[in-house]
Amino acid sequence: MRHPFRPLAAPVTYSRWLHLLIPCAVVSVWMFVSFDTPWMPCVLAVPAGLLPAIRLAEGVQAQLLLTPGERGRADASISAAPSVSWADRWCTVAWLEVRLLLATAAGFATIWLPATTFDLVSYSISAEPSMGWLTDFLGARWLCALLAPLPLLILLGLIILCGEVATAAARRLLGPSPSERLTALEKRTEQLLERNRIARELHDSIGHALTVAVVQAGAARTSDSPEFTARALAVIEETGRNALEDLERVLKVLRESDAPVSSQSTMSEAGRLLESARASGAKLDVEMTGRLDLLPGTVSREGYRILQESLTNVLRHAHGVPVRVRIAVREEELELKVTNPLPASPCTPSGGSGLRGIRERAALLGGRARAGQHKGDWIVQVRLPTDRIG
């Protein structure tokens, strides 16, 4: 159950009070200029509300003072954007009228209710009040002293009520339009897709490096050859350095939304990847056809990660077996095929995030991915359409 006095301790109550009083300054200036036309600000609010920039200014101010907890959030209930349609403009006009009415009520209460409390206290201590009706209506001084806090309580209750009404009106009249909601949803979807892509990049790159390091460290531990141990440590160092470079690329894309995707690894660097696998003990039989440097950027980057994950799975689950790698660049597609015989005591891949990531990468490009056992071999075969090469 909500405590009735909780709003009095909430900072938003007083930021909303400030929001209610801001238009009073405009009204006061106008009253000073022309006391006979106090209604004129309501008339001037119509052409002002039709200006696109006014909706932006009102939205920013409402977010800051009415709903400070939502400020800067993509799903904020109050939009901070210029008007893009006539419906937005007329909603802004309606909001300005509502705001002026609430500001009038809040401003009147802020001035006269504390003044009433002051008069009640003054009369209770033998001073004459400025409002004579108090003495006529109340009479006894003790009664004035008893009722002195009442106007302040009414003021606080009225401010809380007007703040709630102003917030509800702002959400209704300054809330995101259907087009803005659609834009926000598209932006959120793009962010989720980007995070998913970054997660795959980190999984593939760091997973490959750790697998190579574990394999090399295990082999060095059981080897009595100082030369082999030195080579293993050199491979671990080189693989770790490459993984750090890949990590820096991914984090750069994460930190800088305008970072070029061309800084990511591509199929042109497949040789480095294959040498790393060889140095880790894999017996590779590699066949390449076609020009890797002519692949479209997206296909080249995703193909590199798919090849990396395939080799990582071989090192992790079937270390030491011969591996056939076929990379074919054709007119309309890139084909990657990694085949290795299953070991005597196979540790069959369980279809975890690695294989799922391969299938997701292929599906995003409209390609096909197949992974499974066939006649004693484990085969990963991926076909990615290139549309046009050259």
Side-chain angles (χ1 to χ4, degrees):
M1 182 177 179
R2 184 179 179 182
H3 197 281
F5 296 106
R6 180 175 296 176
L8 298 180
V12 70
T13 298
Y14 303 97
S15 66
R16 289 174 178 177
W17 193 353
L18 175 61
H19 184 271
L20 291 167
L21 293 180
I22 289 175
C24 293
V26 178
V27 175
S28 299
V29 171
W30 181 261
M31 294 285 288
F32 180 79
V33 174
S34 178
F35 187 80
D36 296 332
T37 55
W39 41 265
M40 187 57 69
C42 292
V43 175
L44 297 177
V46 177
L50 296 178
L51 298 175
I54 294 297
R55 184 177 181 85
L56 171 62
E58 290 294 320
V60 170
Q61 191 179 132
Q63 279 191 3
L64 181 65
L65 298 176
L66 296 182
T67 57
E70 299 179 3
R71 184 175 53 184
R73 282 170 39 182
D75 59 345
S77 59
I78 299 175
S79 174
S83 301
V84 296
S85 66
W86 281 104
D88 292 342
R89 291 181 172 90
W90 287 115
C91 283
T92 306
V93 170
W95 159 250
L96 291 177
E97 301 292 351
V98 170
R99 187 179 181 188
L100 285 171
L101 292 176
L102 292 174
T104 301
F108 182 84
T110 300
I111 294 173
W112 291 106
L113 288 176
T116 302
T117 293
F118 178 80
D119 269 2
L120 289 172
V121 173
S122 299
Y123 183 62
S124 66
I125 58 177
S126 302
E128 288 299 323
S130 59
M131 292 181 283
W133 64 271
L134 285 175
T135 57
D136 298 336
F137 181 71
L138 298 176
R141 296 180 184 274
W142 64 268
L143 185 57
C144 290
L146 183 64
L147 296 178
L150 184 60
L152 295 180
L153 295 177
I154 294 174
L155 172 63
L156 291 174
L158 184 62
I159 292 303
I160 292 172
L161 177 62
C162 288
E164 293 289 346
V165 172
T167 303
R171 285 171 171 160
R172 177 66 182 86
L173 299 172
L174 298 180
S177 64
S179 61
E180 289 173 336
R181 291 192 183 95
L182 181 59
T183 300
L185 180 60
E186 291 175 346
K187 183 177 180 180
R188 177 62 176 166
T189 302
E190 290 176 358
Q191 290 174 344
L192 291 176
L193 289 174
E194 182 67 8
R195 289 182 181 179
N196 190 37
R197 186 190 66 79
I198 290 174
R200 289 199 305 266
E201 294 285 334
L202 290 175
H203 171 272
D204 295 347
S205 178
I206 305 304
H208 175 78
L210 290 177
T211 298
V212 171
V214 168
V215 170
Q216 289 292 324
R221 182 173 57 84
T222 58
S223 175
D224 295 330
S225 172
E227 293 80 7
F228 180 85
T229 301
R231 287 198 304 271
L233 291 175
V235 170
I236 292 174
E237 180 185 6
E238 180 65 21
T239 305
R241 185 179 294 109
N242 293 334
L244 287 175
E245 292 176 359
D246 287 341
L247 180 61
E248 182 60 30
R249 290 191 188 102
V250 173
L251 293 180
K252 183 177 180 181
V253 174
L254 184 61
R255 290 191 300 263
E256 306 172 13
S257 58
D258 57 346
V261 295
S262 58
S263 61
Q264 302 170 33
S265 299
T266 65
M267 284 299 295
S268 298
E269 302 172 64
R272 185 191 73 175
L273 191 60
L274 295 170
E275 287 304 318
S276 174
R278 283 196 181 97
S280 300
K283 302 172 183 177
L284 298 184
D285 174 18
V286 181
E287 179 183 328
M288 293 188 186
T289 58
R291 294 184 58 182
L292 296 177
D293 59 324
L294 295 182
L295 284 169
T298 303
V299 175
S300 187
R301 290 189 295 271
E302 297 301 319
Y304 178 91
R305 292 305 181 189
I306 290 172
L307 178 61
Q308 184 182 57
E309 179 60 28
S310 301
L311 293 174
T312 301
N313 285 337
V314 171
L315 294 173
R316 182 181 297 145
H317 300 293
H319 178 62
V321 299
V323 183
R324 297 189 301 276
V325 178
R326 299 293 181 263
I327 304 173
V329 180
R330 303 190 182 95
E331 184 177 356
E332 296 180 353
E333 69 176 10
L334 165 66
E335 181 182 8
L336 300 173
K337 187 175 181 181
V338 179
T339 307
N340 62 273
L342 293 172
S345 300
C347 179
T348 305
S350 58
S353 59
L355 293 177
R356 183 171 65 248
I358 289 176
R359 295 188 182 97
E360 288 176 354
R361 290 179 185 276
L364 286 174
L365 295 179
R368 302 185 304 277
R370 180 174 66 90
Q373 300 181 34
H374 180 69
K375 296 182 179 179
D377 290 337
W378 181 264
I379 300 176
V380 175
Q381 185 175 20
V382 178
R383 297 176 183 271
L384 303 177
T386 58
D387 295 331
R388 186 181 66 181
I389 296 176

